[in-house]
Amino acid sequence: MTTVRDSSPAGQSAYSEGDKKLFWCCFIALVATSFGFIVRAFSIGAWGNEFGLTATQQGEIFGVGLWPFAISIVLFSLIIDKIGYKNAMWFALISHIASGVITIFATGYWSLYIGTFIVALGNGTVEAVINPVVATMFHKEKSKWLNILHAGWPAGLVIGGLLAITIDSWQMKVALIFIPTVIYGIMMIPLRFPVNERVAAGVPFKDMLGEAGAIGALLVVSLITLEIGRVFGFPTFLNIAIIAAATIAYGAYVKSLGRPLFIILLLIMIPLATTELGTDSWITPLMEKPMEKIGLHAGWIIIYTSAIMMILRFFAGPILHRFSPLGLLAMSSAVAAVGLFFLSTSAGIMILVAATIYAFGKAFFWPTILGVTAEQFPRGGALTLNTIGGVGMLGVGIVGSVFLGAIQDKSVQKGLSAYDAREGTELSQTYLTEEKMSVFGAYKALGSAELAEAPPEHAEAIAVASQEGKQNALSTVAMFPVIMLFSFLGLILYFRSRGGYKAVNLAAEGSAAEAKMHATSQV
């Protein structure tokens, strides 16, 4: 196994059996985060029925799982080398337990909201720890081991989903999160966490901040501020003032605009996260009718596609041996685009085939772009690595979901108009009554009051049009992986012009610098 430099006088600390145990502790902690996600997805309907939650309130509960994650992953990245990785993991464990207890004994909207807020903080803290820890332990094979690590997310969806499907009580479903939480807590007690690669190499804190620079700070602060401002109703001028003040202060301190390649990866992360996470919210409802016809719960589609992702990530090593990380990302983008186009035209059980292709495409996205970041920006330490994840979560919540929702509503509008033309009805005029505006233009949405009073034949026609609209909209979503494909091909050509893709080795750079200084002192 790899060795990791620490701050001890001896200068080296070997990780052999210890790094295996620490890796699996990190893996199970990630499983706990996906347990929290899947049990909430399976319980949200029961919460709505028991506590009388509106669809908007249910959406808000899901939404609070995004921005606290981003805040904790970014803020902990700034201080984690000071407070220690193990202390941060204890905070995550306490958050997971507290969230489970609060949710199980929930009495309504606010207790469910607070429980989800706390679990999101814990989830962000877990990723703030495990990504730099694994990248440090396996610094010669970062992309491979980050892929294996992030097999923990779909593994949790599979195991948690299988358990949740067999349980009727939502309280018992929520309690499932205690299983992986207790396991990683017990495993963590005797373990030693490594000193981060950046710290061991003596790279100053200010240099770490400089890797992201003022432009990186602008992007991150903007996304966080806009999301928090939306939740708490901040006026526009306050959002602008916060973004400007934070960005200017950061830029004045680091005196760097940021590494151009890192800024490009941050921007790519938005369509990447939307393709991987945002589209999942459509595939499940698309599969409900086909799955019902073969007598299966719609939740099985999540378990099935997650199982594909889990297996592929476990075997990422041989694939990365054949292709570079950027090559794998480009290939995955092409497959995901084909899968989404196929989904937009498939019917019946063939939707399952298309979902399989899509699952193959998206499997390597998240961990491999983390691997590229870790390999190219080790001087950025935990900050650059975890900022990528934070921007991804915020991007899909703020930009991606708005885009997906807008094109879905527009597709439903187009579908109802087509139905009217085909059947000689006026459903679009009767039920498309809500005027809406988004950053992607004006459109009409289904009026909830009119829809609630629709006769059965109209409701069925609207359901069919909505299903077709969602499915047709997937062909538009496919432009995201197409954009990513060309972006990764461009990066491949860039690295090829520089002699090919190579991971930056901080230890080698430090040794070369020391040798140069020694040679200079001898002259």
Side-chain angles (χ1 to χ4, degrees):
M1 304 299 287
T2 58
T3 57
V4 184
R5 226 176 250 281
D6 66 11
S7 57
S8 65
Q12 292 282 344
S13 177
Y15 279 77
S16 52
E17 290 303 317
D19 62 3
K20 293 178 183 177
K21 293 177 181 177
L22 181 54
F23 173 83
W24 290 113
C25 176
C26 293
F27 183 93
I28 295 172
L30 187 58
V31 168
T33 68
S34 57
F35 261 53
F37 175 85
I38 193 70
V39 298
R40 277 169 169 74
F42 279 23
S43 302
I44 191 70
W47 294 347
N49 293 332
E50 182 165 335
F51 299 112
L53 303 179
T54 65
T56 298
Q57 288 177 317
Q58 293 178 45
E60 289 170 348
I61 290 172
F62 260 113
V64 77
L66 292 175
W67 57 268
F69 174 98
I71 290 175
S72 59
I73 195 173
V74 172
L75 291 184
F76 266 105
S77 296
L78 293 172
I79 62 174
I80 203 162
D81 293 315
K82 295 291 186 183
I83 66 174
Y85 290 101
K86 196 168 189 176
N87 289 332
M89 282 290 278
W90 283 123
F91 174 83
L93 183 140
I94 292 170
S95 297
H96 283 149
I97 292 175
S99 169
V101 172
I102 291 171
T103 305
I104 288 171
F105 293 100
T107 57
Y109 169 80
W110 279 110
S111 46
L112 291 171
Y113 188 93
I114 293 170
T116 305
F117 173 87
I118 293 174
V119 81
L121 287 179
N123 292 349
T125 306
V126 165
E127 288 231 25
V129 172
I130 64 176
N131 290 328
V133 163
V134 170
T136 295
M137 287 194 299
F138 304 102
H139 61 275
K140 292 183 179 179
E141 296 179 301
K142 293 177 181 178
S143 291
K144 169 187 172 180
W145 284 98
L146 283 169
N147 265 282
I148 297 173
L149 171 69
H150 281 268
W153 173 262
L157 296 181
V158 171
I159 299 170
L162 288 172
L163 293 173
I165 281 179
T166 63
I167 298 173
D168 293 328
S169 166
W170 67 260
Q171 288 92 344
M172 291 300 295
K173 290 179 182 178
V174 172
L176 290 173
I177 196 174
F178 296 141
I179 298 173
T181 299
V182 170
I183 293 173
Y184 84 76
I186 293 173
M187 290 181 68
M188 185 170 56
I189 293 173
L191 294 176
R192 294 175 57 245
F193 283 68
V195 173
N196 185 265
E197 184 181 5
R198 173 194 71 85
V199 177
V203 177
F205 179 78
K206 186 176 180 179
D207 288 2
M208 177 185 78
L209 300 181
E211 295 286 282
I215 297 178
L218 173 63
L219 181 58
V220 175
V221 172
S222 295
L223 289 173
I224 292 177
T225 303
L226 289 174
E227 180 65 1
I228 295 178
R230 182 192 65 81
V231 172
F232 294 103
F234 291 173
T236 302
F237 78 88
L238 180 57
N239 287 334
I240 295 174
I242 293 172
I243 293 168
T247 303
I248 292 171
Y250 190 100
Y253 177 69
V254 301
K255 295 180 175 60
S256 167
L257 293 177
R259 298 279 296 278
L261 177 59
F262 179 68
I263 305 304
I264 291 172
L265 292 178
L266 282 178
L267 293 173
I268 291 175
M269 194 64 189
I270 296 175
L272 184 149
T274 301
T275 301
E276 178 174 342
L277 301 178
T279 313
D280 284 348
S281 63
W282 280 2
I283 289 181
T284 300
L286 277 176
M287 285 300 301
E288 283 181 2
K289 297 300 181 182
M291 295 297 278
E292 285 177 5
K293 289 180 180 179
I294 59 177
L296 293 176
H297 189 285
W300 280 105
I301 190 60
I302 299 178
I303 296 172
Y304 170 67
T305 55
S306 297
I308 293 174
M309 292 176 63
M310 176 184 67
I311 293 169
L312 289 175
R313 288 178 179 182
F314 268 122
F315 293 97
I319 300 174
L320 285 164
H321 184 71
R322 176 66 179 84
F323 303 96
S324 71
L326 290 173
L328 178 57
L329 286 167
M331 183 174 63
S332 298
S333 299
V335 175
V338 171
L340 288 172
F341 277 119
F342 193 9
L343 271 170
S344 70
T345 58
S346 298
I349 200 63
M350 290 304 295
I351 295 179
L352 182 61
V353 178
T356 302
I357 297 173
Y358 167 70
F360 271 83
K362 71 172 183 173
F364 300 111
F365 279 152
W366 196 282
T368 305
I369 200 167
L370 288 178
V372 171
T373 304
E375 289 174 351
Q376 296 304 314
F377 305 101
R379 295 176 64 85
L383 179 65
T384 49
L385 183 56
N386 289 326
T387 297
I388 288 286
V391 166
M393 290 294 288
L394 285 168
V396 70
I398 298 171
V399 180
S401 62
V402 174
F403 178 80
L404 294 175
I407 62 173
Q408 179 177 323
D409 282 331
K410 287 185 177 181
S411 295
V412 171
Q413 178 181 345
K414 186 181 296 184
L416 281 179
S417 298
Y419 182 89
D420 287 342
R422 186 170 64 248
E423 303 293 334
T425 57
E426 296 182 347
L427 297 186
S428 57
Q429 296 180 20
T430 304
Y431 296 102
L432 291 171
T433 57
E434 289 190 9
E435 295 281 352
K436 291 192 175 184
M437 174 65 71
S438 78
V439 294
F440 303 102
Y443 61 94
K444 287 186 176 181
L446 292 169
S448 55
E450 291 80 3
L451 194 59
E453 298 177 359
E457 62 273 16
H458 286 185
E460 183 177 354
I462 292 170
V464 171
S466 298
Q467 180 88 351
E468 291 177 352
K470 290 178 182 179
Q471 191 166 351
N472 292 334
L474 289 172
S475 61
T476 305
V477 179
M479 75 177 189
F480 285 137
V482 171
I483 291 171
M484 290 155 51
L485 171 61
F486 285 105
S487 299
F488 291 129
L489 289 176
L491 291 176
I492 290 171
L493 293 175
Y494 165 74
F495 277 101
R496 187 169 294 174
S497 70
R498 296 168 60 89
Y501 181 92
K502 296 183 182 68
V504 176
N505 189 326
L506 274 184
E509 284 188 353
S511 299
E514 289 179 8
K516 184 176 180 180
M517 290 177 61
H518 180 72
T520 303
S521 67
Q522 298 298 314
V523 175

